[in-house]
Coordinates of all heavy atoms in Angstrom, one line a residue:
L941 N -18.7 11.3 16.3 CA -17.9 12.3 15.7 C -16.4 11.9 15.6 O -15.8 12.3 14.6 CB -18.0 13.5 16.7 CG -18.0 14.8 16.0 CD1 -19.4 15.4 16.0 CD2 -17.0 15.8 16.6
V942 N -15.9 11.2 16.6 CA -14.5 10.7 16.4 C -14.4 9.8 15.1 O -13.4 10.0 14.4 CB -14.1 9.9 17.7 CG1 -12.7 9.3 17.4 CG2 -14.1 10.8 18.9
A943 N -15.3 8.9 14.9 CA -15.3 8.1 13.7 C -15.4 8.9 12.5 O -14.6 8.6 11.5 CB -16.4 7.1 13.8
L944 N -16.1 10.0 12.4 CA -16.2 10.8 11.2 C -14.9 11.5 11.0 O -14.4 11.5 9.8 CB -17.3 11.8 11.4 CG -18.7 11.2 11.2 CD1 -19.7 12.3 11.4 CD2 -18.9 10.6 9.9
S945 N -14.2 11.9 12.0 CA -13.0 12.6 11.8 C -11.8 11.7 11.3 O -11.0 12.0 10.5 CB -12.5 13.4 13.1 OG -12.2 12.5 14.1
L946 N -11.9 10.5 11.8 CA -10.9 9.4 11.5 C -11.1 9.1 9.9 O -10.1 9.0 9.2 CB -11.1 8.2 12.3 CG -10.1 7.0 11.9 CD1 -8.7 7.5 12.1 CD2 -10.3 5.8 12.8
V947 N -12.3 8.9 9.5 CA -12.6 8.6 8.1 C -12.2 9.8 7.3 O -11.5 9.6 6.2 CB -14.1 8.2 7.9 CG1 -14.5 8.2 6.4 CG2 -14.4 7.0 8.6
A948 N -12.5 11.0 7.6 CA -12.1 12.2 6.8 C -10.6 12.3 6.7 O -10.1 12.6 5.7 CB -12.7 13.4 7.4
S949 N -9.9 12.0 7.8 CA -8.5 12.2 7.7 C -7.8 11.1 6.9 O -6.8 11.3 6.3 CB -7.9 12.2 9.2 OG -8.0 10.9 9.7
A950 N -8.5 9.9 6.9 CA -7.9 8.8 6.1 C -7.9 9.1 4.6 O -7.0 8.7 3.9 CB -8.6 7.5 6.3
F951 N -8.9 9.9 4.1 CA -9.0 10.1 2.7 C -7.9 11.1 2.3 O -7.6 11.3 1.1 CB -10.3 10.7 2.4 CG -11.4 9.6 2.5 CD1 -12.4 9.7 3.3 CD2 -11.3 8.6 1.6 CE1 -13.4 8.8 3.4 CE2 -12.3 7.5 1.7 CZ -13.3 7.7 2.6
A952 N -7.2 11.7 3.2 CA -6.1 12.6 2.8 C -4.9 11.9 2.3 O -4.1 12.4 1.5 CB -5.6 13.5 4.0
L953 N -4.7 10.6 2.7 CA -3.7 9.8 2.2 C -3.9 9.5 0.8 O -5.0 9.1 0.4 CB -3.6 8.4 3.0 CG -3.0 8.4 4.3 CD1 -3.3 7.0 5.0 CD2 -1.5 8.6 4.2
Q954 N -2.9 9.7 0.0 CA -2.9 9.4 -1.5 C -1.6 8.7 -1.9 O -0.6 9.3 -1.8 CB -3.1 10.6 -2.3 CG -4.5 11.3 -2.1 CD -5.7 10.4 -2.6 OE1 -5.6 9.8 -3.6 NE2 -6.7 10.3 -1.7
V955 N -1.7 7.4 -2.2 CA -0.6 6.7 -2.7 C -0.3 6.9 -4.2 O -1.3 6.9 -4.9 CB -0.7 5.3 -2.3 CG1 -1.8 4.5 -3.0 CG2 0.7 4.5 -2.6
E956 N 0.9 7.0 -4.6 CA 1.2 7.2 -6.0 C 1.4 5.9 -6.7 O 1.9 4.9 -6.0 CB 2.5 8.0 -6.2 CG 2.3 9.4 -5.6 CD 3.7 10.2 -5.6 OE1 4.6 9.8 -6.3 OE2 3.7 11.3 -5.0
D957 N 1.1 5.7 -7.9 CA 1.3 4.5 -8.7 C 2.9 4.3 -8.8 O 3.6 5.3 -9.0 CB 0.7 4.6 -10.1 CG -0.8 4.5 -10.0 OD1 -1.3 4.1 -9.0 OD2 -1.4 4.9 -11.0
P958 N 3.4 3.0 -8.8 CA 4.8 2.8 -9.1 C 5.2 3.4 -10.4 O 4.5 3.3 -11.4 CB 4.9 1.3 -9.1 CG 3.7 0.8 -8.3 CD 2.6 1.8 -8.6
T959 N 6.4 4.0 -10.4 CA 6.9 4.7 -11.7 C 8.0 3.8 -12.4 O 8.2 3.9 -13.5 CB 7.4 6.1 -11.4 OG1 8.4 6.0 -10.5 CG2 6.3 7.0 -11.0
D960 N 8.7 3.0 -11.5 CA 9.7 2.1 -12.0 C 9.1 0.7 -12.2 O 8.0 0.4 -11.7 CB 10.8 2.0 -11.1 CG 11.6 3.4 -11.0 OD1 11.6 4.2 -11.9 OD2 12.0 3.7 -9.8
T961 N 9.8 -0.1 -13.0 CA 9.4 -1.5 -13.2 C 9.4 -2.2 -11.8 O 10.4 -2.0 -11.1 CB 10.4 -2.3 -14.1 OG1 10.4 -1.5 -15.4 CG2 10.0 -3.7 -14.3
V962 N 8.3 -2.9 -11.5 CA 8.2 -3.6 -10.2 C 8.7 -5.1 -10.4 O 8.2 -5.7 -11.4 CB 6.8 -3.6 -9.7 CG1 6.7 -4.4 -8.4 CG2 6.3 -2.1 -9.5
R963 N 9.7 -5.5 -9.7 CA 10.2 -6.8 -9.8 C 10.1 -7.6 -8.5 O 10.4 -7.1 -7.4 CB 11.7 -6.7 -10.2 CG 11.9 -6.1 -11.5 CD 13.3 -6.2 -12.0 NE 13.6 -5.5 -13.2 CZ 13.2 -5.9 -14.4 NH1 12.6 -7.0 -14.6 NH2 13.5 -5.1 -15.5
S964 N 9.8 -8.9 -8.6 CA 9.8 -9.8 -7.5 C 11.1 -9.8 -6.8 O 12.2 -9.8 -7.4 CB 9.4 -11.2 -8.1 OG 9.4 -12.1 -7.0
S965 N 11.1 -9.9 -5.5 CA 12.3 -10.0 -4.7 C 13.3 -8.8 -4.8 O 14.5 -9.0 -4.7 CB 13.1 -11.3 -4.9 OG 12.2 -12.4 -4.7
S966 N 12.7 -7.7 -5.3 CA 13.6 -6.5 -5.5 C 13.1 -5.3 -4.7 O 12.0 -5.4 -4.2 CB 13.6 -6.1 -6.9 OG 14.2 -7.1 -7.7
S967 N 13.8 -4.3 -4.6 CA 13.4 -3.1 -3.8 C 12.3 -2.4 -4.6 O 12.3 -2.3 -5.8 CB 14.6 -2.2 -3.5 OG 15.1 -1.6 -4.6
L968 N 11.5 -1.7 -3.8 CA 10.3 -0.9 -4.4 C 10.2 0.3 -3.5 O 10.2 0.2 -2.3 CB 9.0 -1.7 -4.3 CG 7.8 -1.0 -4.7 CD1 7.9 -0.5 -6.1 CD2 6.6 -1.8 -4.4
T969 N 10.2 1.5 -4.1 CA 9.9 2.7 -3.4 C 8.5 3.1 -3.5 O 8.0 3.2 -4.7 CB 10.9 3.8 -3.9 OG1 12.2 3.4 -3.6 CG2 10.6 5.1 -3.1
I970 N 7.8 3.3 -2.5 CA 6.4 3.7 -2.4 C 6.3 5.1 -2.0 O 6.9 5.4 -0.9 CB 5.6 2.7 -1.6 CG1 5.7 1.3 -2.0 CG2 4.1 3.2 -1.6 CD1 5.1 0.3 -1.0
N971 N 5.7 6.0 -2.7 CA 5.5 7.4 -2.3 C 4.0 7.8 -2.1 O 3.2 7.2 -2.8 CB 6.1 8.3 -3.5 CG 7.5 8.1 -3.7 OD1 8.3 8.2 -2.8 ND2 7.9 7.6 -4.9
W972 N 3.8 8.7 -1.2 CA 2.4 9.1 -1.0 C 2.5 10.6 -0.4 O 3.5 11.1 0.0 CB 1.8 8.1 0.0 CG 2.3 8.1 1.4 CD1 2.0 8.9 2.4 CD2 3.3 7.2 1.8 NE1 2.7 8.5 3.5 CE2 3.6 7.5 3.2 CE3 4.1 6.2 1.2 CZ2 4.5 6.8 4.0 CZ3 5.0 5.5 2.0 CH2 5.2 5.8 3.3
T973 N 1.3 11.1 -0.3 CA 1.0 12.4 0.3 C 0.2 12.2 1.5 O -0.7 11.2 1.5 CB 0.4 13.5 -0.7 OG1 -0.8 12.9 -1.1 CG2 1.4 13.8 -1.8
S974 N 0.4 13.0 2.5 CA -0.5 12.8 3.8 C -0.6 14.2 4.4 O 0.0 15.2 4.0 CB 0.3 11.9 4.7 OG 1.5 12.4 5.1
Q975 N -1.5 14.2 5.4 CA -1.6 15.3 6.3 C -1.3 14.9 7.7 O -1.3 13.7 8.0 CB -3.1 15.8 6.3 CG -3.4 16.5 4.9 CD -4.8 17.0 4.9 OE1 -5.6 16.7 5.8 NE2 -5.2 17.7 3.9
S976 N -1.0 15.9 8.6 CA -0.6 15.5 10.0 C -1.6 14.7 10.8 O -1.3 14.0 11.7 CB -0.2 16.7 10.7 OG -1.3 17.6 10.8
S977 N -2.9 14.8 10.3 CA -4.0 14.0 11.1 C -4.1 12.6 10.6 O -5.0 12.0 11.1 CB -5.3 14.8 10.9 OG -5.6 15.0 9.6
D978 N -3.4 12.2 9.6 CA -3.7 10.9 9.0 C -3.2 9.8 9.9 O -2.1 10.0 10.6 CB -2.8 10.7 7.7 CG -3.6 11.4 6.5 OD1 -4.8 11.6 6.5 OD2 -2.9 12.0 5.6
P979 N -3.9 8.7 10.0 CA -3.5 7.6 11.0 C -2.3 6.8 10.4 O -2.1 6.7 9.2 CB -4.8 6.8 11.0 CG -5.4 6.9 9.6 CD -5.1 8.4 9.2
V980 N -1.7 6.0 11.4 CA -0.7 5.0 11.0 C -1.4 4.0 10.2 O -2.6 3.7 10.5 CB -0.1 4.5 12.4 CG1 0.8 3.3 12.1 CG2 0.7 5.6 13.1
F981 N -0.7 3.3 9.3 CA -1.3 2.4 8.4 C -0.4 1.2 8.1 O 0.8 1.3 8.5 CB -1.8 3.0 7.1 CG -0.7 3.7 6.4 CD1 0.0 3.1 5.4 CD2 -0.5 5.1 6.6 CE1 1.0 3.7 4.7 CE2 0.5 5.7 5.9 CZ 1.3 5.0 5.0
S982 N -0.9 0.2 7.6 CA -0.2 -0.9 7.1 C -0.2 -0.9 5.5 O -1.2 -0.4 5.0 CB -0.7 -2.3 7.5 OG -0.5 -2.4 8.9
I983 N 0.7 -1.5 4.8 CA 0.7 -1.6 3.4 C 0.6 -3.0 2.9 O 1.4 -3.9 3.4 CB 2.0 -0.9 2.8 CG1 2.2 0.5 3.3 CG2 2.0 -1.0 1.3 CD1 3.5 1.2 2.8
E984 N -0.3 -3.3 2.1 CA -0.6 -4.6 1.6 C -0.4 -4.6 0.0 O -0.7 -3.6 -0.6 CB -2.1 -4.9 1.8 CG -2.5 -5.0 3.2 CD -2.1 -6.2 4.0 OE1 -2.1 -7.3 3.4 OE2 -1.8 -6.1 5.2
L985 N 0.2 -5.6 -0.4 CA 0.4 -5.9 -1.9 C -0.7 -6.9 -2.2 O -0.7 -8.0 -1.6 CB 1.8 -6.4 -2.2 CG 2.0 -6.8 -3.7 CD1 2.0 -5.5 -4.5 CD2 3.4 -7.5 -3.8
I986 N -1.6 -6.6 -3.1 CA -2.8 -7.4 -3.5 C -2.7 -7.8 -4.8 O -2.3 -7.1 -5.8 CB -4.1 -6.5 -3.3 CG1 -4.1 -5.8 -2.0 CG2 -5.3 -7.3 -3.6 CD1 -4.2 -6.7 -0.8
N987 N -3.2 -9.1 -5.1 CA -3.4 -9.6 -6.5 C -4.7 -10.5 -6.3 O -4.6 -11.6 -5.9 CB -2.2 -10.4 -7.0 CG -2.5 -10.6 -8.5 OD1 -3.5 -11.1 -8.9 ND2 -1.5 -10.3 -9.3
D988 N -5.8 -9.9 -6.8 CA -7.1 -10.6 -6.7 C -7.2 -11.8 -7.7 O -7.9 -12.7 -7.4 CB -8.2 -9.7 -7.0 CG -8.4 -8.7 -5.9 OD1 -8.1 -9.1 -4.7 OD2 -8.9 -7.6 -6.2
S989 N -6.4 -11.8 -8.8 CA -6.5 -12.8 -9.7 C -6.1 -14.2 -9.1 O -6.5 -15.2 -9.6 CB -5.7 -12.6 -11.0 OG -4.3 -12.6 -10.7
F990 N -5.2 -14.3 -8.2 CA -4.9 -15.6 -7.5 C -5.0 -15.5 -6.0 O -4.4 -16.2 -5.3 CB -3.5 -16.1 -8.0 CG -2.4 -15.1 -7.8 CD1 -1.7 -15.1 -6.6 CD2 -2.0 -14.3 -8.7 CE1 -0.6 -14.2 -6.4 CE2 -1.0 -13.4 -8.6 CZ -0.3 -13.4 -7.5
N991 N -5.9 -14.6 -5.5 CA -6.3 -14.5 -4.1 C -5.1 -14.4 -3.2 O -5.0 -15.0 -2.2 CB -7.1 -15.7 -3.7 CG -8.5 -15.4 -3.5 OD1 -9.0 -14.3 -3.6 ND2 -9.3 -16.5 -3.3
R992 N -4.2 -13.4 -3.5 CA -3.0 -13.2 -2.7 C -2.9 -11.8 -2.1 O -3.3 -10.9 -2.8 CB -1.8 -13.4 -3.5 CG -1.7 -14.8 -4.1 CD -1.5 -15.8 -3.0 NE -0.1 -16.2 -2.9 CZ 0.4 -16.9 -2.0 NH1 -0.4 -17.5 -1.2 NH2 1.7 -17.2 -2.0
Q993 N -2.6 -11.8 -0.9 CA -2.5 -10.5 -0.1 C -1.2 -10.6 0.7 O -1.1 -11.6 1.5 CB -3.8 -10.3 0.8 CG -3.7 -9.0 1.5 CD -5.2 -8.7 2.0 OE1 -6.0 -9.5 1.9 NE2 -5.2 -7.6 2.7
F994 N -0.2 -9.8 0.5 CA 1.0 -9.7 1.2 C 1.1 -8.5 2.1 O 1.0 -7.4 1.5 CB 2.2 -9.8 0.2 CG 2.2 -11.0 -0.7 CD1 1.6 -10.9 -2.0 CD2 2.8 -12.2 -0.4 CE1 1.6 -11.9 -2.8 CE2 2.8 -13.2 -1.3 CZ 2.2 -13.1 -2.5
A995 N 1.3 -8.7 3.4 CA 1.6 -7.5 4.2 C 3.0 -7.2 4.0 O 3.9 -8.0 4.3 CB 1.3 -7.8 5.7
I996 N 3.3 -6.0 3.5 CA 4.7 -5.7 3.2 C 5.2 -4.6 4.1 O 6.5 -4.3 4.1 CB 4.9 -5.3 1.7 CG1 4.0 -4.1 1.3 CG2 4.7 -6.5 0.8 CD1 4.2 -3.7 -0.2
A997 N 4.4 -3.9 4.9 CA 4.9 -3.0 5.9 C 3.8 -2.7 6.9 O 2.6 -2.6 6.5 CB 5.3 -1.6 5.2
N998 N 4.2 -2.6 8.1 CA 3.2 -2.4 9.2 C 3.5 -1.2 10.0 O 4.7 -0.8 10.2 CB 3.1 -3.7 10.2 CG 2.6 -4.9 9.4 OD1 1.6 -4.9 8.9 ND2 3.4 -6.0 9.5
N999 N 2.5 -0.6 10.6 CA 2.7 0.6 11.5 C 3.5 1.7 10.8 O 4.4 2.2 11.4 CB 3.2 0.2 12.8 CG 2.4 -0.8 13.5 OD1 1.1 -0.6 13.7 ND2 2.9 -1.9 14.1
V1000 N 3.1 2.0 9.6 CA 3.9 3.0 8.8 C 3.4 4.4 9.3 O 2.1 4.7 9.3 CB 3.6 2.9 7.3 CG1 4.3 4.0 6.6 CG2 4.1 1.5 6.9
Q1001 N 4.3 5.3 9.6 CA 3.9 6.7 9.9 C 3.7 7.5 8.6 O 4.5 7.5 7.7 CB 5.1 7.3 10.6 CG 5.4 6.7 12.0 CD 4.3 6.9 13.0 OE1 3.6 7.9 12.9 NE2 4.1 5.9 13.8
P1002 N 2.5 8.0 8.5 CA 2.1 8.7 7.3 C 3.1 9.9 7.0 O 3.3 10.2 5.8 CB 0.7 9.2 7.5 CG 0.5 9.0 9.0 CD 1.4 8.1 9.6
S1003 N 3.6 10.5 8.0 CA 4.5 11.7 7.7 C 5.8 11.3 6.9 O 6.5 12.2 6.4 CB 4.9 12.4 9.0 OG 5.5 11.5 9.9
L1004 N 6.1 10.1 6.8 CA 7.3 9.6 6.1 C 7.2 10.0 4.6 O 8.1 10.4 4.0 CB 7.5 8.1 6.2 CG 8.0 7.6 7.6 CD1 8.0 6.1 7.6 CD2 9.3 8.1 7.9
N1005 N 6.0 9.8 4.0 CA 5.7 10.1 2.7 C 6.5 9.3 1.6 O 6.3 9.5 0.4 CB 5.8 11.7 2.3 CG 4.7 12.4 3.0 OD1 3.6 11.9 3.2 ND2 4.9 13.6 3.4
T1006 N 7.3 8.4 2.1 CA 8.0 7.5 1.2 C 8.6 6.3 2.0 O 8.9 6.5 3.2 CB 9.2 8.2 0.4 OG1 9.7 7.4 -0.6 CG2 10.3 8.6 1.3
L1007 N 8.7 5.2 1.3 CA 9.2 4.0 2.0 C 9.8 3.1 0.9 O 9.1 2.8 -0.1 CB 8.1 3.3 2.8 CG 8.5 2.1 3.6 CD1 9.4 2.4 4.7 CD2 7.3 1.3 4.0
T1008 N 11.0 2.7 1.1 CA 11.7 1.7 0.3 C 11.8 0.4 1.0 O 12.3 0.4 2.1 CB 13.0 2.2 -0.2 OG1 12.8 3.5 -0.9 CG2 13.7 1.2 -1.1
L1009 N 11.3 -0.7 0.3 CA 11.3 -2.0 0.9 C 11.7 -3.0 0.0 O 11.7 -2.7 -1.3 CB 10.0 -2.3 1.6 CG 8.7 -2.0 0.9 CD1 8.4 -3.1 -0.1 CD2 7.6 -1.8 1.7
T1010 N 11.9 -4.2 0.4 CA 12.2 -5.3 -0.6 C 11.0 -6.2 -0.6 O 10.5 -6.7 0.4 CB 13.4 -6.1 -0.1 OG1 14.6 -5.3 -0.1 CG2 13.7 -7.3 -1.0
L1011 N 10.5 -6.4 -1.8 CA 9.3 -7.2 -2.0 C 9.7 -8.7 -1.7 O 10.8 -9.1 -2.0 CB 8.8 -7.1 -3.4 CG 8.1 -5.8 -3.8 CD1 7.7 -5.8 -5.2 CD2 6.9 -5.5 -2.9
P1012 N 8.7 -9.5 -1.3 CA 8.9 -10.9 -1.2 C 9.0 -11.5 -2.6 O 8.7 -10.8 -3.6 CB 7.7 -11.4 -0.4 CG 6.6 -10.4 -0.7 CD 7.4 -9.1 -0.9
Q1013 N 9.3 -12.8 -2.7 CA 9.2 -13.5 -4.0 C 7.8 -13.7 -4.3 O 7.0 -14.3 -3.5 CB 10.0 -14.8 -4.0 CG 10.0 -15.5 -5.3 CD 10.9 -16.7 -5.3 OE1 11.4 -17.1 -4.4 NE2 10.9 -17.4 -6.5
I1014 N 7.3 -13.1 -5.4 CA 5.9 -13.1 -5.8 C 5.8 -13.5 -7.3 O 6.7 -13.3 -8.1 CB 5.2 -11.8 -5.6 CG1 5.9 -10.7 -6.2 CG2 5.0 -11.5 -4.0 CD1 5.2 -9.3 -6.1
P1015 N 4.7 -14.1 -7.7 CA 4.5 -14.5 -9.1 C 4.5 -13.2 -10.1 O 4.0 -12.2 -9.7 CB 3.2 -15.2 -9.1 CG 2.9 -15.6 -7.7 CD 3.6 -14.5 -6.9
S1016 N 5.1 -13.4 -11.2 CA 5.1 -12.3 -12.2 C 3.7 -12.2 -12.7 O 3.0 -13.2 -12.8 CB 6.2 -12.5 -13.2 OG 6.0 -13.7 -13.9
G1017 N 3.3 -11.1 -13.3 CA 2.0 -10.9 -14.0 C 1.4 -9.7 -13.6 O 2.0 -8.8 -12.9
G1018 N 0.2 -9.4 -14.1 CA -0.5 -8.2 -13.9 C -1.5 -8.3 -12.8 O -1.6 -9.3 -12.1
G1019 N -2.2 -7.2 -12.6 CA -3.3 -7.2 -11.6 C -2.9 -6.9 -10.2 O -3.7 -7.1 -9.3
Y1020 N -1.8 -6.4 -10.0 CA -1.3 -6.0 -8.6 C -1.8 -4.7 -8.2 O -1.8 -3.8 -9.1 CB 0.2 -6.1 -8.5 CG 0.8 -7.6 -8.3 CD1 1.2 -8.2 -9.5 CD2 0.9 -8.1 -7.1 CE1 1.6 -9.5 -9.4 CE2 1.3 -9.4 -7.0 CZ 1.7 -10.1 -8.1 OH 2.3 -11.4 -8.0
T1021 N -2.1 -4.5 -7.0 CA -2.3 -3.1 -6.4 C -1.6 -3.0 -5.1 O -1.3 -4.0 -4.4 CB -3.8 -2.8 -6.2 OG1 -4.4 -3.6 -5.3 CG2 -4.5 -2.7 -7.6
I1022 N -1.3 -1.8 -4.6 CA -0.8 -1.5 -3.3 C -1.8 -0.8 -2.6 O -2.5 0.1 -3.1 CB 0.5 -0.7 -3.4 CG1 1.6 -1.5 -4.0 CG2 0.9 -0.2 -1.9 CD1 2.9 -0.6 -4.3
Q1023 N -2.2 -1.3 -1.4 CA -3.2 -0.7 -0.6 C -2.7 -0.3 0.8 O -1.9 -0.9 1.4 CB -4.4 -1.7 -0.3 CG -5.1 -2.2 -1.5 CD -6.2 -3.2 -1.2 OE1 -6.3 -3.7 -0.1 NE2 -7.1 -3.3 -2.1
F1024 N -3.1 0.9 1.3 CA -2.9 1.4 2.6 C -4.0 1.0 3.4 O -5.2 1.5 3.1 CB -2.6 2.9 2.6 CG -1.3 3.3 2.0 CD1 -0.5 2.5 1.3 CD2 -0.9 4.6 2.1 CE1 0.7 2.9 0.7 CE2 0.3 5.1 1.6 CZ 1.1 4.2 0.9
V1025 N -3.9 0.3 4.4 CA -5.1 -0.2 5.2 C -5.0 0.1 6.7 O -3.9 0.4 7.2 CB -5.3 -1.7 5.0 CG1 -5.5 -2.1 3.6 CG2 -4.0 -2.5 5.6
N1026 N -6.1 0.1 7.3 CA -6.2 0.4 8.8 C -5.4 -0.8 9.4 O -5.6 -1.9 9.1 CB -7.7 0.3 9.1 CG -8.0 0.6 10.6 OD1 -7.2 0.3 11.5 ND2 -9.1 1.3 10.8
I1027 N -4.6 -0.4 10.5 CA -3.8 -1.5 11.1 C -4.7 -2.4 12.0 O -4.3 -3.5 12.3 CB -2.7 -0.9 12.0 CG1 -3.3 0.0 13.1 CG2 -1.7 -0.1 11.2 CD1 -2.2 0.5 14.1
S1028 N -5.8 -2.0 12.3 CA -6.8 -2.9 13.1 C -7.8 -3.6 12.3 O -8.4 -4.6 12.7 CB -7.7 -2.0 14.1 OG -6.8 -1.3 14.9
N1029 N -8.0 -3.2 11.0 CA -8.9 -3.9 10.1 C -8.4 -3.7 8.6 O -8.7 -2.7 8.0 CB -10.3 -3.3 10.3 CG -11.4 -3.9 9.3 OD1 -11.0 -4.9 8.6 ND2 -12.5 -3.4 9.4
I1030 N -7.7 -4.8 8.1 CA -7.2 -4.7 6.8 C -8.2 -4.6 5.6 O -7.9 -4.2 4.6 CB -6.2 -5.9 6.5 CG1 -7.0 -7.2 6.4 CG2 -5.0 -5.9 7.4 CD1 -6.2 -8.4 5.9
N1031 N -9.5 -4.8 6.0 CA -10.5 -4.6 5.0 C -11.0 -3.1 4.9 O -11.7 -2.8 4.0 CB -11.8 -5.4 5.4 CG -11.5 -6.9 5.2 OD1 -10.9 -7.3 4.3 ND2 -11.9 -7.6 6.3
D1032 N -10.4 -2.3 5.8 CA -10.7 -0.8 5.8 C -9.5 -0.2 4.9 O -8.5 0.1 5.5 CB -10.7 -0.3 7.2 CG -11.1 1.2 7.3 OD1 -11.4 1.8 6.3 OD2 -11.0 1.7 8.4
I1033 N -9.7 0.0 3.7 CA -8.7 0.5 2.8 C -8.8 2.1 2.7 O -9.8 2.7 2.4 CB -9.0 0.0 1.3 CG1 -9.0 -1.6 1.4 CG2 -8.0 0.6 0.4 CD1 -9.5 -2.2 0.1
F1034 N -7.7 2.7 3.1 CA -7.5 4.2 3.0 C -7.3 4.7 1.6 O -7.9 5.7 1.2 CB -6.4 4.7 4.0 CG -6.6 4.4 5.4 CD1 -5.5 4.1 6.2 CD2 -7.9 4.3 6.0 CE1 -5.7 3.8 7.6 CE2 -8.0 4.0 7.3 CZ -6.9 3.8 8.1
T1035 N -6.5 4.1 0.8 CA -6.1 4.4 -0.5 C -5.4 3.3 -1.2 O -4.9 2.3 -0.5 CB -5.2 5.7 -0.5 OG1 -5.0 6.1 -1.8 CG2 -3.9 5.4 0.2
Q1036 N -5.4 3.3 -2.5 CA -4.8 2.2 -3.3 C -4.3 2.7 -4.6 O -4.8 3.7 -5.1 CB -5.6 1.0 -3.4 CG -6.8 1.1 -4.4 CD -7.6 -0.1 -4.5 OE1 -7.6 -0.9 -3.5 NE2 -8.3 -0.3 -5.6
T1037 N -3.3 2.1 -5.2 CA -2.8 2.4 -6.5 C -3.7 1.9 -7.6 O -4.6 1.0 -7.3 CB -1.3 1.8 -6.7 OG1 -1.5 0.3 -6.7 CG2 -0.4 2.2 -5.7
S1038 N -3.5 2.3 -8.8 CA -4.0 1.6 -9.9 C -3.3 0.2 -10.1 O -2.3 0.0 -9.5 CB -3.7 2.4 -11.3 OG -4.3 3.7 -11.1
T1039 N -3.8 -0.7 -10.9 CA -3.2 -2.0 -11.1 C -1.9 -1.8 -11.9 O -1.7 -0.8 -12.7 CB -4.1 -3.0 -11.8 OG1 -4.4 -2.4 -13.1 CG2 -5.3 -3.3 -11.1
F1040 N -0.9 -2.7 -11.6 CA 0.4 -2.7 -12.3 C 0.8 -4.1 -12.4 O 0.2 -5.1 -11.8 CB 1.4 -1.8 -11.5 CG 1.6 -2.2 -10.1 CD1 2.6 -3.1 -9.8 CD2 0.8 -1.7 -9.0 CE1 2.8 -3.6 -8.4 CE2 1.0 -2.1 -7.7 CZ 2.1 -3.0 -7.4
S1041 N 1.9 -4.3 -13.1 CA 2.5 -5.6 -13.3 C 3.8 -5.8 -12.6 O 4.4 -4.9 -12.3 CB 2.8 -5.9 -14.8 OG 1.6 -5.8 -15.5
V1042 N 4.0 -7.1 -12.2 CA 5.3 -7.5 -11.6 C 6.1 -8.4 -12.5 O 5.5 -9.3 -13.2 CB 5.1 -8.2 -10.2 CG1 6.4 -8.8 -9.7 CG2 4.4 -7.2 -9.3
E1043 N 7.4 -8.1 -12.7 CA 8.2 -8.9 -13.5 C 9.2 -9.7 -12.7 O 9.5 -9.3 -11.6 CB 9.0 -8.0 -14.5 CG 8.1 -7.2 -15.5 CD 8.9 -6.3 -16.4 OE1 10.1 -6.4 -16.5 OE2 8.2 -5.6 -17.1
D1044 N 9.8 -10.8 -13.3 CA 10.8 -11.6 -12.6 C 12.1 -10.8 -12.5 O 12.4 -9.9 -13.2 CB 11.0 -12.8 -13.3 CG 9.8 -13.8 -13.3 OD1 9.2 -13.8 -12.2 OD2 9.6 -14.6 -14.2

C-alpha cells in the first residue's frame, strides 16, 4: 500500500517545457506543479543521441515549484529532455519535458 501511494503521488509532479532558449553554461529556470504529498526528487538533463545524462540538481523539494540553476557546458543540438527522478533510483522517472534544443 505504501508503494502504491508513493507512485500515485509521484504522478502529481508535472514539469513544464523550457520556454526560453536553452544555452550551454547558462542559467535555466525549471518550473513545475506539485502536491504536498510529492516526494523529494533529483533533476537530470538527458540526451539519448549521445548517451549523456547530467545530474543538475539533487534532493529538490517539490513545493519550490521553480528552480534556477546554471547548466554545465554541454554540446549544442537537439534531443534533450529534463527528467525528475527518484533520488534512490534514477531509472524511476516521475515526469519529463518534451525534447528541446540547446544552443551555444
Side-chain angles (χ1 to χ4, degrees):
L941 215 106
V942 172
L944 286 177
S945 66
L946 179 61
V947 170
S949 68
F951 290 119
L953 280 170
Q954 292 296 316
V955 62
E956 298 174 12
D957 291 340
T959 55
D960 296 328
T961 301
V962 177
R963 297 188 186 283
S964 179
S965 303
S966 295
S967 67
L968 172 66
T969 298
I970 303 168
N971 298 300
W972 64 89
T973 57
S974 65
Q975 293 182 350
S976 60
S977 58
D978 287 329
V980 172
F981 57 90
S982 292
I983 302 176
E984 302 278 325
L985 179 66
I986 309 294
N987 190 309
D988 289 330
S989 67
F990 54 88
N991 255 353
R992 299 295 262 175
Q993 185 166 359
F994 301 93
I996 56 176
N998 293 308
N999 298 314
V1000 178
Q1001 294 296 323
S1003 60
L1004 292 173
N1005 290 330
T1006 190
L1007 181 68
T1008 300
L1009 48 82
T1010 301
L1011 290 177
Q1013 184 173 358
I1014 53 177
S1016 61
Y1020 284 92
T1021 60
I1022 293 171
Q1023 295 179 345
F1024 290 8
V1025 299
N1026 185 324
I1027 60 173
S1028 300
N1029 177 3
I1030 63 171
N1031 295 315
D1032 184 7
I1033 302 166
F1034 297 148
T1035 185
Q1036 71 180 27
T1037 65
S1038 301
T1039 58
F1040 59 90
S1041 295
V1042 171
E1043 297 180 8
D1044 288 329

